[in-house]
Coordinates of all heavy atoms in Angstrom, one line a residue:
M252 N 97.8 -77.5 30.1 CA 98.2 -76.2 30.8 C 98.6 -76.4 32.1 O 98.0 -77.1 32.8 CB 97.0 -75.4 30.7 CG 96.6 -74.9 29.3 SD 95.3 -73.7 29.2 CE 94.9 -73.8 27.4
T253 N 99.7 -75.8 32.6 CA 100.2 -75.9 33.8 C 100.2 -74.8 34.7 O 100.4 -74.9 35.8 CB 101.7 -76.4 33.7 OG1 102.4 -75.5 33.1 CG2 101.7 -77.7 33.1
T254 N 99.8 -73.5 34.3 CA 99.9 -72.3 35.1 C 98.4 -71.9 35.1 O 97.8 -71.6 34.1 CB 100.8 -71.3 34.5 OG1 102.1 -71.8 34.3 CG2 100.8 -70.1 35.4
V255 N 97.9 -71.8 36.4 CA 96.5 -71.2 36.6 C 96.7 -69.9 37.4 O 97.4 -70.0 38.3 CB 95.7 -72.2 37.2 CG1 94.2 -71.7 37.5 CG2 95.5 -73.5 36.5
A256 N 95.9 -68.9 37.0 CA 96.1 -67.7 37.8 C 94.9 -67.1 38.0 O 93.8 -67.2 37.3 CB 97.0 -66.7 37.0
L257 N 94.7 -66.2 39.1 CA 93.5 -65.4 39.3 C 94.0 -63.9 39.2 O 94.9 -63.5 39.9 CB 93.0 -65.6 40.8 CG 91.8 -64.6 41.1 CD1 90.6 -64.9 40.2 CD2 91.4 -64.8 42.5
L258 N 93.3 -63.1 38.2 CA 93.7 -61.8 38.0 C 92.6 -60.8 38.2 O 91.4 -61.2 37.8 CB 94.1 -61.7 36.4 CG 94.4 -60.3 35.9 CD1 95.6 -59.8 36.6 CD2 94.5 -60.2 34.4
S259 N 92.8 -59.8 38.9 CA 91.9 -58.9 39.2 C 92.4 -57.5 38.8 O 93.4 -57.0 39.4 CB 91.4 -58.8 40.7 OG 90.6 -57.7 40.9
V260 N 91.8 -56.8 37.8 CA 92.3 -55.5 37.4 C 91.1 -54.5 37.5 O 90.1 -54.8 37.0 CB 92.8 -55.5 36.0 CG1 93.2 -54.1 35.4 CG2 93.9 -56.5 35.8
A261 N 91.3 -53.4 38.1 CA 90.2 -52.5 38.3 C 90.7 -51.1 38.5 O 91.7 -50.8 39.3 CB 89.4 -52.8 39.5
P262 N 90.1 -50.1 37.8 CA 90.4 -48.7 38.0 C 90.0 -48.3 39.5 O 88.9 -48.9 39.9 CB 89.7 -47.9 37.0 CG 88.5 -48.8 36.8 CD 89.0 -50.2 36.8
V263 N 90.6 -47.4 40.2 CA 90.2 -46.9 41.4 C 89.3 -45.6 41.0 O 89.8 -44.5 40.9 CB 91.2 -46.5 42.3 CG1 90.8 -46.1 43.7 CG2 92.2 -47.8 42.5
I264 N 88.0 -45.9 40.9 CA 87.0 -44.8 40.6 C 85.7 -45.0 41.3 O 85.5 -46.0 41.8 CB 86.6 -44.8 39.0 CG1 86.1 -46.2 38.5 CG2 87.9 -44.5 38.2 CD1 85.6 -46.2 37.2
E265 N 84.9 -43.9 41.3 CA 83.6 -44.0 41.8 C 82.6 -44.6 40.7 O 83.0 -44.4 39.5 CB 83.0 -42.6 42.2 CG 83.8 -42.0 43.3 CD 83.4 -42.8 44.7 OE1 82.3 -43.2 44.9 OE2 84.4 -42.9 45.5
G266 N 81.7 -45.4 40.9 CA 80.7 -45.9 39.9 C 81.1 -47.1 39.4 O 82.1 -47.7 39.8
S267 N 80.5 -47.5 38.2 CA 80.8 -48.7 37.6 C 82.2 -48.8 37.0 O 82.6 -47.9 36.3 CB 79.7 -48.9 36.5 OG 80.0 -50.2 35.8
M268 N 82.8 -49.9 37.3 CA 84.1 -50.3 36.7 C 83.9 -51.2 35.5 O 84.9 -51.6 34.8 CB 84.9 -51.0 37.7 CG 85.3 -50.2 38.9 SD 86.4 -51.1 40.0 CE 85.1 -51.8 41.1
A269 N 82.7 -51.6 35.1 CA 82.4 -52.6 34.0 C 83.1 -52.3 32.8 O 83.7 -53.2 32.2 CB 81.1 -52.9 33.8
G270 N 83.1 -51.0 32.3 CA 83.7 -50.8 31.0 C 85.2 -50.9 30.9 O 85.8 -51.4 30.1
E271 N 85.8 -50.5 32.1 CA 87.4 -50.7 32.2 C 87.7 -52.1 32.5 O 88.7 -52.5 31.9 CB 87.8 -49.7 33.3 CG 87.7 -48.1 33.0 CD 88.3 -47.7 31.6 OE1 89.4 -48.1 31.5 OE2 87.7 -47.0 31.0
V272 N 87.0 -52.8 33.2 CA 87.2 -54.2 33.4 C 87.1 -55.0 32.0 O 88.0 -55.9 31.7 CB 86.3 -54.8 34.5 CG1 86.5 -56.3 34.6 CG2 86.7 -54.2 35.9
A273 N 86.1 -54.5 31.3 CA 86.0 -55.2 29.9 C 87.2 -54.9 29.0 O 87.6 -55.8 28.4 CB 84.7 -54.6 29.3
K274 N 87.8 -53.8 29.1 CA 89.0 -53.5 28.4 C 90.2 -54.5 28.8 O 90.9 -55.0 28.0 CB 89.5 -52.0 28.6 CG 88.6 -51.1 27.9 CD 89.1 -49.7 28.3 CE 88.2 -48.6 27.7 NZ 88.6 -47.2 28.1
A275 N 90.3 -54.7 30.1 CA 91.3 -55.6 30.7 C 91.0 -57.0 30.2 O 92.0 -57.7 29.7 CB 91.3 -55.5 32.2
V276 N 89.8 -57.5 30.2 CA 89.5 -58.7 29.8 C 89.8 -58.9 28.3 O 90.3 -59.9 27.8 CB 88.1 -59.1 30.1 CG1 87.7 -60.5 29.5 CG2 87.8 -59.3 31.7
A277 N 89.5 -57.9 27.5 CA 89.6 -58.0 26.1 C 91.1 -58.0 25.8 O 91.5 -58.7 24.7 CB 88.9 -56.8 25.4
A278 N 92.0 -57.4 26.5 CA 93.4 -57.5 26.3 C 93.9 -58.8 26.4 O 95.0 -59.2 25.8 CB 94.1 -56.6 27.3
L279 N 93.3 -59.7 27.0 CA 93.7 -61.2 27.2 C 93.6 -61.9 25.9 O 94.3 -62.9 25.6 CB 92.9 -61.9 28.2 CG 93.1 -61.4 29.8 CD1 92.1 -62.1 30.6 CD2 94.5 -61.4 30.2
D280 N 92.8 -61.4 24.9 CA 92.6 -62.1 23.7 C 93.8 -62.1 22.8 O 93.9 -62.9 21.9 CB 91.5 -61.4 22.9 CG 90.0 -61.8 23.5 OD1 90.0 -62.8 24.3 OD2 89.2 -61.0 23.4
D281 N 94.7 -61.2 23.1 CA 96.0 -61.2 22.4 C 97.0 -62.2 22.7 O 98.2 -62.2 22.2 CB 96.6 -59.8 22.4 CG 95.7 -58.7 21.8 OD1 95.0 -59.0 20.9 OD2 95.8 -57.6 22.2
F282 N 96.7 -63.0 23.7 CA 97.7 -64.0 24.3 C 97.1 -65.3 24.1 O 95.9 -65.6 24.0 CB 98.0 -63.6 25.7 CG 98.6 -62.3 25.9 CD1 97.9 -61.1 25.9 CD2 100.1 -62.2 25.9 CE1 98.5 -59.9 26.0 CE2 100.6 -61.0 25.9 CZ 99.9 -59.8 26.0
D283 N 98.0 -66.3 24.1 CA 97.7 -67.8 24.1 C 97.3 -68.3 25.5 O 98.0 -69.0 26.2 CB 98.8 -68.6 23.5 CG 98.5 -70.0 23.3 OD1 97.3 -70.4 23.2 OD2 99.4 -70.9 23.3
V284 N 96.1 -67.9 26.0 CA 95.5 -68.2 27.3 C 94.0 -68.5 27.2 O 93.4 -68.2 26.2 CB 95.8 -67.0 28.3 CG1 97.1 -66.6 28.4 CG2 94.9 -65.8 27.9
S285 N 93.6 -69.3 28.1 CA 92.2 -69.5 28.3 C 91.7 -68.7 29.5 O 92.6 -68.5 30.4 CB 91.9 -71.0 28.6 OG 92.3 -71.8 27.4
Y286 N 90.6 -68.2 29.5 CA 90.2 -67.5 30.7 C 88.6 -67.5 30.9 O 87.9 -67.8 30.0 CB 90.7 -65.9 30.5 CG 90.0 -65.2 29.6 CD1 88.8 -64.6 29.6 CD2 90.7 -65.0 28.2 CE1 88.3 -63.8 28.6 CE2 90.1 -64.3 27.2 CZ 88.9 -63.8 27.4 OH 88.4 -62.9 26.3
E287 N 88.3 -67.2 32.0 CA 86.9 -67.2 32.4 C 86.7 -66.1 33.6 O 87.5 -66.1 34.6 CB 86.4 -68.5 33.1 CG 84.8 -68.4 33.4 CD 84.3 -69.8 33.9 OE1 85.1 -70.7 33.8 OE2 83.1 -69.8 34.5
T288 N 85.8 -65.1 33.3 CA 85.7 -64.0 34.2 C 84.6 -64.4 35.2 O 83.5 -65.0 34.8 CB 85.4 -62.7 33.4 OG1 86.5 -62.4 32.6 CG2 85.1 -61.5 34.3
N289 N 84.8 -64.0 36.4 CA 83.7 -64.2 37.5 C 83.6 -62.9 38.2 O 84.2 -62.0 37.9 CB 84.1 -65.5 38.3 CG 85.4 -65.2 39.3 OD1 85.6 -64.2 39.8 ND2 86.4 -66.0 39.0
P290 N 82.7 -62.8 39.2 CA 82.4 -61.6 39.8 C 83.6 -61.0 40.5 O 83.7 -59.7 40.9 CB 81.3 -61.9 40.9 CG 80.6 -63.1 40.3 CD 81.7 -63.9 39.6
M291 N 84.7 -61.8 40.9 CA 85.8 -61.2 41.7 C 87.1 -61.1 40.9 O 88.1 -60.7 41.5 CB 86.0 -62.1 42.8 CG 84.9 -62.2 43.8 SD 84.4 -60.5 44.5 CE 85.8 -60.2 45.5
G292 N 87.1 -61.6 39.6 CA 88.3 -61.6 38.8 C 88.1 -62.5 37.5 O 87.1 -62.9 37.3
T293 N 89.4 -62.7 37.0 CA 89.3 -63.7 35.9 C 90.4 -64.6 36.2 O 91.5 -64.4 36.4 CB 89.7 -62.7 34.7 OG1 88.7 -61.8 34.4 CG2 89.8 -63.7 33.4
V294 N 89.9 -66.0 36.0 CA 90.8 -67.1 36.0 C 91.5 -67.2 34.6 O 90.7 -67.4 33.6 CB 90.1 -68.4 36.4 CG1 91.0 -69.5 36.5 CG2 89.5 -68.1 37.9
I295 N 92.8 -67.3 34.6 CA 93.6 -67.5 33.4 C 94.4 -68.9 33.4 O 94.9 -69.2 34.4 CB 94.6 -66.3 33.2 CG1 93.9 -65.0 33.2 CG2 95.3 -66.5 32.0 CD1 94.8 -63.9 33.4
E296 N 94.5 -69.6 32.3 CA 95.3 -70.7 32.2 C 96.1 -70.5 30.9 O 95.8 -70.1 30.0 CB 94.3 -71.9 32.0 CG 93.5 -72.3 33.1 CD 92.7 -73.6 32.8 OE1 93.2 -74.7 32.7 OE2 91.4 -73.4 32.6
A297 N 97.3 -70.9 31.3 CA 98.4 -70.8 30.2 C 99.4 -72.0 30.3 O 99.5 -72.7 31.4 CB 99.1 -69.5 30.2
D298 N 100.3 -72.2 29.4 CA 101.3 -73.2 29.4 C 102.4 -72.9 30.3 O 103.2 -73.6 30.7 CB 101.8 -73.6 27.9 CG 100.8 -74.2 27.2 OD1 99.9 -74.9 27.7 OD2 101.0 -74.1 25.8
D299 N 102.7 -71.5 30.5 CA 103.8 -71.1 31.3 C 103.4 -69.8 32.0 O 102.5 -69.1 31.6 CB 105.0 -71.0 30.6 CG 104.9 -70.1 29.4 OD1 104.7 -68.9 29.5 OD2 104.9 -70.7 28.3
A300 N 104.1 -69.6 33.2 CA 104.0 -68.4 33.9 C 104.3 -67.1 33.2 O 103.7 -66.0 33.3 CB 104.8 -68.5 35.2
E301 N 105.2 -67.2 32.3 CA 105.7 -66.1 31.5 C 104.5 -65.4 30.7 O 104.4 -64.2 30.5 CB 106.9 -66.2 30.6 CG 108.1 -66.5 31.4 CD 108.3 -67.9 32.0 OE1 107.5 -68.8 31.6 OE2 109.1 -68.1 32.8
T302 N 103.7 -66.4 30.1 CA 102.6 -66.0 29.3 C 101.5 -65.2 30.2 O 101.0 -64.3 29.9 CB 101.9 -67.1 28.6 OG1 103.0 -67.8 27.7 CG2 100.8 -66.8 27.8
V303 N 101.4 -65.9 31.4 CA 100.4 -65.3 32.4 C 100.8 -63.8 32.7 O 100.1 -62.9 32.8 CB 100.2 -66.1 33.6 CG1 99.4 -65.4 34.7 CG2 99.5 -67.4 33.2
F304 N 102.0 -63.6 33.0 CA 102.6 -62.3 33.4 C 102.4 -61.4 32.3 O 102.0 -60.2 32.6 CB 104.1 -62.5 33.8 CG 104.4 -63.0 35.2 CD1 105.2 -64.2 35.3 CD2 103.9 -62.3 36.3 CE1 105.4 -64.6 36.5 CE2 104.2 -62.9 37.5 CZ 104.9 -64.0 37.6
A305 N 102.7 -61.7 31.1 CA 102.5 -60.8 29.9 C 101.2 -60.4 29.8 O 100.9 -59.2 29.4 CB 103.2 -61.5 28.6
A306 N 100.2 -61.5 29.8 CA 98.9 -61.2 29.7 C 98.3 -60.3 30.7 O 97.5 -59.4 30.5 CB 98.0 -62.5 29.6
A307 N 98.7 -60.6 31.9 CA 98.3 -59.7 33.1 C 98.8 -58.2 33.0 O 98.1 -57.2 33.2 CB 98.8 -60.2 34.5
A308 N 100.0 -58.0 32.5 CA 100.5 -56.7 32.2 C 99.8 -56.0 31.1 O 99.4 -54.8 31.4 CB 101.9 -56.7 31.8
A309 N 99.4 -56.8 30.1 CA 98.6 -56.1 29.1 C 97.2 -55.7 29.5 O 96.7 -54.6 29.3 CB 98.4 -57.0 27.9
A310 N 96.6 -56.6 30.4 CA 95.3 -56.2 31.0 C 95.4 -54.9 31.9 O 94.5 -54.2 31.9 CB 94.8 -57.4 31.8
H311 N 96.4 -55.0 32.6 CA 96.6 -53.8 33.6 C 96.8 -52.5 32.7 O 96.1 -51.5 33.0 CB 97.9 -54.0 34.4 CG 98.3 -52.9 35.2 ND1 97.7 -52.6 36.5 CD2 99.2 -51.9 35.1 CE1 98.2 -51.5 37.0 NE2 99.1 -51.0 36.1
D312 N 97.6 -52.5 31.7 CA 97.9 -51.3 30.8 C 96.6 -50.9 30.0 O 96.5 -49.7 29.7 CB 98.9 -51.7 29.8 CG 100.3 -51.8 30.5 OD1 100.4 -51.3 31.7 OD2 101.3 -52.4 29.9
A313 N 95.6 -51.8 29.9 CA 94.4 -51.6 29.0 C 93.4 -50.7 29.8 O 92.6 -50.0 29.1 CB 93.8 -52.8 28.6
V314 N 93.7 -50.6 31.1 CA 92.6 -49.9 31.9 C 93.0 -48.4 31.8 O 94.2 -48.1 32.3 CB 92.5 -50.5 33.3 CG1 91.7 -49.6 34.3 CG2 92.0 -51.9 33.3
D315 N 92.1 -47.6 31.6 CA 92.3 -46.0 31.8 C 92.1 -45.6 33.1 O 91.3 -46.1 33.9 CB 91.5 -45.3 30.8 CG 91.7 -45.6 29.4 OD1 92.9 -45.7 29.0 OD2 90.8 -45.6 28.6
G316 N 92.8 -44.7 33.5 CA 92.6 -43.9 34.8 C 93.9 -43.6 35.5 O 95.0 -44.0 35.1
D317 N 93.8 -42.7 36.5 CA 94.9 -42.2 37.2 C 95.4 -43.2 38.1 O 96.6 -43.2 38.6 CB 94.4 -41.0 38.1 CG 94.0 -39.8 37.2 OD1 94.6 -39.7 36.0 OD2 93.2 -38.9 37.6
R318 N 94.6 -44.2 38.6 CA 95.0 -45.2 39.5 C 94.3 -46.6 39.1 O 93.2 -46.6 38.9 CB 94.6 -44.8 40.9 CG 95.1 -45.6 42.0 CD 94.8 -44.9 43.3 NE 95.1 -45.9 44.4 CZ 94.7 -45.7 45.7 NH1 94.0 -44.7 45.9 NH2 95.0 -46.5 46.5
V319 N 95.2 -47.6 39.0 CA 94.7 -48.9 38.6 C 95.1 -49.9 39.6 O 96.3 -49.9 39.9 CB 95.1 -49.2 37.3 CG1 94.7 -50.8 36.9 CG2 94.6 -48.2 36.2
S320 N 94.3 -50.7 40.2 CA 94.5 -51.7 41.2 C 94.6 -53.1 40.5 O 93.6 -53.5 39.9 CB 93.6 -51.7 42.3 OG 93.8 -52.8 43.2
T321 N 95.7 -53.9 40.5 CA 95.8 -55.2 40.0 C 96.4 -56.2 41.0 O 97.4 -55.8 41.8 CB 96.8 -55.1 38.7 OG1 96.2 -54.2 37.8 CG2 97.0 -56.5 38.1
V322 N 95.7 -57.3 41.0 CA 96.1 -58.4 42.0 C 96.3 -59.6 41.1 O 95.4 -59.9 40.3 CB 95.0 -58.7 43.1 CG1 95.5 -59.9 43.9 CG2 94.9 -57.5 43.9
L323 N 97.4 -60.3 41.2 CA 97.7 -61.5 40.4 C 98.1 -62.6 41.3 O 99.2 -62.5 42.0 CB 98.7 -61.3 39.3 CG 99.2 -62.4 38.4 CD1 98.0 -62.9 37.6 CD2 100.4 -62.0 37.6
K324 N 97.5 -63.7 41.3 CA 97.8 -64.9 42.2 C 98.0 -66.0 41.1 O 97.1 -66.4 40.3 CB 96.6 -65.3 43.1 CG 97.0 -66.4 43.9 CD 95.9 -66.7 44.8 CE 96.2 -68.0 45.8 NZ 95.2 -68.3 46.7
I325 N 99.2 -66.7 41.2 CA 99.6 -67.7 40.2 C 99.8 -69.0 40.9 O 100.6 -69.0 41.9 CB 100.8 -67.4 39.6 CG1 100.6 -65.9 38.6 CG2 101.4 -68.4 38.7 CD1 101.7 -65.5 37.7
D326 N 99.3 -70.1 40.4 CA 99.7 -71.5 40.8 C 100.4 -72.0 39.5 O 99.8 -72.5 38.6 CB 98.5 -72.3 41.1 CG 98.7 -73.7 41.4 OD1 100.0 -74.1 41.5 OD2 97.9 -74.5 41.7
D327 N 101.9 -72.1 39.5 CA 102.6 -72.6 38.5 C 103.1 -74.0 38.9 O 104.1 -74.2 39.5 CB 103.9 -71.6 38.3 CG 104.7 -72.0 37.2 OD1 104.3 -72.8 36.3 OD2 105.9 -71.5 37.2
K328 N 102.3 -75.0 38.4 CA 102.5 -76.4 38.7 C 103.5 -76.9 37.7 O 103.1 -77.1 36.5 CB 101.3 -77.2 38.7 CG 101.3 -78.4 39.5 CD 99.9 -78.9 39.8 CE 100.1 -80.0 40.9 NZ 98.8 -80.5 41.2
R329 N 104.8 -77.0 38.1 CA 105.8 -77.4 37.0 C 106.0 -78.8 36.8 O 106.7 -79.2 35.9 CB 107.1 -76.8 37.6 CG 106.9 -75.2 37.7 CD 108.1 -74.5 38.3 NE 107.9 -73.1 38.2 CZ 108.8 -72.3 38.8 NH1 109.9 -72.8 39.5 NH2 108.6 -71.0 38.8
T330 N 105.5 -79.7 37.8 CA 105.9 -81.1 37.5 C 104.6 -82.0 37.1 O 104.8 -83.1 36.9 CB 106.4 -81.8 38.8 OG1 105.4 -81.5 39.9 CG2 107.7 -81.0 39.2
A331 N 103.5 -81.3 36.8 CA 102.3 -82.0 36.5 C 101.4 -81.1 35.6 O 101.3 -79.9 35.8 CB 101.6 -82.6 37.7
E332 N 100.6 -81.8 34.8 CA 99.6 -81.0 34.0 C 98.3 -80.9 34.8 O 97.9 -81.8 35.6 CB 99.3 -81.7 32.7 CG 100.4 -81.7 31.7 CD 100.7 -80.4 31.0 OE1 99.7 -79.7 30.8 OE2 101.8 -80.0 31.0
T333 N 97.7 -79.7 34.8 CA 96.4 -79.6 35.5 C 95.7 -78.4 34.7 O 96.2 -77.8 33.9 CB 96.6 -79.2 37.0 OG1 95.4 -79.2 37.7 CG2 97.2 -77.8 37.2
T334 N 94.4 -78.2 35.2 CA 93.6 -77.2 34.8 C 92.8 -76.7 35.8 O 92.6 -77.3 36.9 CB 92.6 -77.7 33.6 OG1 91.6 -78.6 34.2 CG2 93.3 -78.4 32.3
A335 N 92.3 -75.4 35.5 CA 91.4 -74.9 36.6 C 90.2 -75.7 36.9 O 89.8 -75.8 38.0 CB 90.9 -73.5 36.2
D336 N 89.6 -76.4 35.7 CA 88.5 -77.3 36.0 C 88.8 -78.4 36.8 O 88.0 -78.8 37.6 CB 87.9 -77.7 34.6 CG 87.2 -76.6 33.8 OD1 86.7 -75.6 34.4 OD2 87.0 -76.7 32.6
R337 N 90.0 -79.0 36.6 CA 90.4 -80.1 37.3 C 90.5 -79.7 38.9 O 90.3 -80.6 39.7 CB 91.7 -80.8 36.8 CG 92.2 -81.9 37.5 CD 91.2 -83.1 37.5 NE 91.4 -84.0 38.6 CZ 90.6 -84.4 39.5 NH1 89.2 -84.1 39.4 NH2 90.8 -85.2 40.4
K338 N 91.1 -78.6 39.1 CA 91.2 -78.2 40.5 C 89.8 -78.1 41.3 O 89.7 -78.6 42.3 CB 91.8 -76.8 40.6 CG 93.3 -76.9 40.2 CD 94.0 -75.6 40.0 CE 94.3 -74.8 41.1 NZ 95.5 -75.1 41.8
V339 N 88.8 -77.5 40.5 CA 87.4 -77.5 41.0 C 86.8 -78.8 41.3 O 86.3 -79.2 42.2 CB 86.5 -76.7 40.2 CG1 85.1 -76.7 40.7 CG2 87.1 -75.3 40.1
E340 N 87.1 -79.8 40.3 CA 86.6 -81.1 40.3 C 87.2 -81.7 41.4 O 86.5 -82.6 42.2 CB 87.0 -82.0 39.0 CG 86.2 -81.5 37.8 CD 86.7 -82.1 36.5 OE1 87.8 -82.7 36.5 OE2 86.3 -81.7 35.5
A341 N 88.5 -81.6 41.8 CA 89.0 -82.4 43.0 C 88.3 -81.9 44.3 O 88.1 -82.7 45.2 CB 90.6 -82.0 43.0
V342 N 88.0 -80.7 44.3 CA 87.2 -80.2 45.6 C 85.9 -80.7 45.7 O 85.4 -81.3 46.6 CB 87.2 -78.6 45.6 CG1 86.2 -78.1 46.7 CG2 88.6 -78.0 45.8
E343 N 85.2 -80.8 44.4 CA 83.9 -81.4 44.4 C 83.8 -82.9 44.7 O 82.9 -83.3 45.3 CB 83.2 -81.1 43.0 CG 82.9 -79.6 42.8 CD 82.4 -79.5 41.3 OE1 82.7 -80.2 40.4 OE2 81.6 -78.4 41.2
E344 N 84.9 -83.6 44.3 CA 85.0 -84.9 44.7 C 85.1 -85.2 46.3 O 84.4 -86.1 46.8 CB 86.3 -85.6 44.0 CG 86.0 -85.8 42.6 CD 87.5 -86.2 41.9 OE1 88.4 -86.4 42.6 OE2 87.4 -86.3 40.5
E345 N 85.8 -84.3 46.9 CA 86.0 -84.3 48.4 C 84.6 -84.0 49.0 O 84.2 -84.5 50.0 CB 87.0 -83.4 48.8 CG 88.4 -83.8 48.5 CD 88.9 -85.0 49.1 OE1 88.4 -85.3 50.3 OE2 89.5 -85.9 48.5
L346 N 83.9 -82.9 48.4 CA 82.6 -82.5 48.9 C 81.4 -83.5 48.7 O 80.6 -83.8 49.5 CB 82.2 -81.2 48.3 CG 82.7 -80.0 48.8 CD1 82.3 -78.8 47.8 CD2 82.3 -79.6 50.1
G347 N 81.6 -84.2 47.6 CA 80.6 -85.2 47.2 C 79.5 -84.5 46.5 O 78.4 -85.1 46.4
R348 N 79.7 -83.3 46.0 CA 78.6 -82.6 45.3 C 79.4 -81.4 44.6 O 80.5 -81.3 44.6 CB 77.8 -82.0 46.4 CG 78.3 -81.0 47.3 CD 77.2 -80.3 48.3 NE 77.9 -79.5 49.4 CZ 78.2 -78.4 49.1 NH1 78.3 -77.7 48.1 NH2 78.8 -77.7 50.3
E349 N 78.6 -80.6 43.8 CA 79.0 -79.5 43.2 C 79.5 -78.4 44.2 O 79.0 -78.3 45.2 CB 78.0 -78.8 42.2 CG 77.7 -79.5 41.0 CD 76.9 -78.7 40.0 OE1 76.3 -77.6 40.5 OE2 76.7 -79.1 38.8
A350 N 80.6 -77.6 43.8 CA 81.1 -76.5 44.8 C 80.4 -75.3 44.5 O 80.9 -74.3 44.2 CB 82.5 -76.5 44.6
R351 N 79.1 -75.4 44.4 CA 78.2 -74.2 44.1 C 76.8 -74.3 44.8 O 76.3 -75.4 44.9 CB 78.0 -74.2 42.5 CG 77.2 -73.0 42.2 CD 77.1 -73.0 40.6 NE 76.2 -71.9 40.3 CZ 76.6 -70.9 39.5 NH1 77.9 -70.9 39.0 NH2 75.8 -69.9 39.2
R352 N 76.5 -73.2 45.3 CA 75.1 -73.3 45.9 C 74.5 -71.9 45.7 O 75.0 -70.8 45.7 CB 75.3 -73.3 47.5 CG 74.0 -73.7 48.1 CD 74.2 -73.9 49.6 NE 73.8 -72.7 50.3 CZ 73.9 -72.6 51.6 NH1 74.5 -73.6 52.4 NH2 73.7 -71.5 52.2
E353 N 73.2 -72.0 45.3 CA 72.4 -70.8 45.0 C 71.7 -70.4 46.3 O 71.2 -71.2 47.1 CB 71.2 -71.0 43.9 CG 71.8 -71.4 42.6 CD 72.5 -70.3 41.9 OE1 72.1 -69.1 42.2 OE2 73.4 -70.5 41.2
R354 N 71.6 -69.1 46.7 CA 70.8 -68.7 47.8 C 69.4 -68.7 47.5 O 68.8 -68.3 46.5 CB 71.2 -67.4 48.3 CG 72.6 -67.3 48.7 CD 73.0 -66.0 49.5 NE 72.6 -64.8 49.0 CZ 72.3 -63.8 49.7 NH1 72.3 -63.8 51.0 NH2 72.0 -62.6 49.2

């Protein structure tokens, strides 16, 4: 996989957004992508940017509401194969430890 993206889709509402965010995440299942949701968004991996754009649009459209906020950041590495895990591993190699800490 060569395209890694960070997607954040949320309705602009008072109270919990979890139900609507779940709809956005579920919409990704219709695409040939891998994904992992974290507290700030969902990391998506695909073979190409077009697939990420299509998946992101579907996630955006899946959210109900008068106003929806969507942020998409894409790393489209066109000359080499990479994964989100490999990107984290490279940082951990530089740190000499896991890139995670519990408080």
Side-chain angles (χ1 to χ4, degrees):
M252 294 184 193
T253 59
T254 304
V255 179
L257 176 63
L258 174 67
S259 174
V260 179
V263 180
I264 59 172
E265 295 290 325
S267 177
M268 295 181 272
E271 294 303 315
V272 171
K274 291 177 186 178
V276 172
L279 300 176
D280 291 338
D281 294 334
F282 296 86
D283 187 20
V284 300
S285 299
Y286 64 85
E287 181 177 351
T288 299
N289 62 56
M291 298 302 292
T293 299
V294 175
I295 302 171
E296 294 180 71
D298 290 333
D299 54 67
E301 291 78 16
T302 301
V303 171
F304 283 120
H311 176 85
D312 291 343
V314 175
D315 292 327
D317 294 335
R318 188 171 173 194
V319 178
S320 175
T321 298
V322 177
L323 179 63
K324 180 178 181 179
I325 293 179
D326 180 1
D327 184 17
K328 200 159 191 176
R329 298 174 178 173
T330 59
E332 292 287 320
T333 191
T334 65
D336 288 340
R337 180 64 201 128
K338 291 167 77 81
V339 173
E340 288 168 2
V342 171
E343 289 177 338
E344 288 168 6
E345 292 295 322
L346 282 171
R348 61 174 174 83
E349 284 188 352
R351 180 182 179 111
R352 187 175 103 184
E353 301 288 331
R354 296 193 313 146

